[in-house]
Amino acid sequence: MPVLKKTNYPIILNLLGTLLLLNSFFMFLCVPVSLYYNEPAYKGLAIAGLITFIIGLSMFLITRNAKKNVGKREGYLIVGVGWIGMALFGTLPYILTIPQLSETAQQANQMDLTNALFETMSGYTTTGASILNDIEIMPKGLLFWRSLTHWIGGMGIIVLTIAILPLLGIGGMQLFVAEA
């Protein structure tokens, strides 16, 4: 049990909150695209961004006074839980937008939790695999979200966090080592 006492859980939650805030920012970027093309998908994208923002901000604010020391143990936990958390929250735009599509678009692109998770993780890992059968009939805002997940994956979720860490007064070497 001494291992559990040495882990700095508040800083882990703080950084995971930061990741979710970044994720919500990218979700909100999709809303103007959807509005530009006059698509009803903007509602699902906005709700997904709002849910992610509220949870991320809550995690960040609750732990804002956390000690800023990130060790290897914390780095590994942040990377592992960060990937899972980002992928789970990244499924929200698909899950909340697909029911608003036309019936033909819904039939062509069956989207349940498993498929949405696959599509999101495919983007974050930059594999490029897709379960979408007819991608052209998808709303442009949702396609922009799909493209952003690939871009975020290419940049590296943790690399984005490392760029933010100096602003928080935290060294990012432990996260870099865990990611590598």
Side-chain angles (χ1 to χ4, degrees):
M1 279 304 197
V3 172
L4 295 176
K5 292 182 180 181
K6 291 182 180 179
T7 305
N8 187 356
Y9 291 108
I11 193 64
I12 294 169
L13 291 176
N14 186 274
L15 293 175
L16 291 176
T18 303
L19 281 173
L20 291 179
L21 288 172
L22 285 170
N23 209 16
S24 70
F25 169 75
F26 289 119
M27 287 179 194
F28 286 132
L29 283 178
C30 301
V31 174
V33 173
S34 193
L35 287 172
Y36 177 79
Y37 287 101
N38 199 22
E39 301 169 333
Y42 78 91
K43 295 174 191 171
L45 293 165
I47 292 170
L50 191 61
I51 291 170
T52 306
F53 178 79
I54 289 170
I55 293 174
L57 186 64
S58 299
M59 290 170 66
F60 181 79
L61 291 176
I62 289 170
T63 59
R64 69 179 172 265
N65 295 327
K67 294 179 183 175
K68 304 289 187 202
N69 55 344
V70 178
K72 285 185 180 180
R73 182 177 297 116
E74 288 84 3
Y76 286 119
L77 278 171
I78 291 167
V79 170
V81 177
W83 274 103
I84 294 168
M86 291 287 282
L88 288 174
F89 280 93
T91 63
L92 290 177
Y94 294 108
I95 291 173
L96 296 174
T97 303
I98 293 292
Q100 299 171 8
L101 300 180
S102 67
E103 193 172 317
T104 56
Q106 286 181 13
Q107 289 172 351
N109 298 303
Q110 295 291 322
M111 189 66 70
D112 57 5
L113 179 62
T114 306
N115 289 343
L117 184 63
F118 177 85
E119 196 68 36
T120 304
M121 191 57 84
S122 168
Y124 286 148
T125 59
T126 64
T127 60
S130 181
I131 52 91
L132 300 174
N133 294 323
D134 193 2
I135 201 163
E136 286 84 19
I137 62 174
M138 297 297 288
K140 304 290 189 254
L142 196 59
L143 289 177
F144 190 66
W145 169 246
R146 183 176 178 271
S147 299
L148 276 177
T149 60
H150 288 268
W151 182 78
I152 294 167
M155 290 287 291
I157 296 171
I158 305 304
V159 172
L160 286 174
T161 304
I162 290 173
I164 301 298
L165 288 177
L167 299 174
L168 301 173
I170 303 168
M173 192 53 137
Q174 289 82 5
L175 292 179
F176 180 75
V177 168
E179 177 70 8

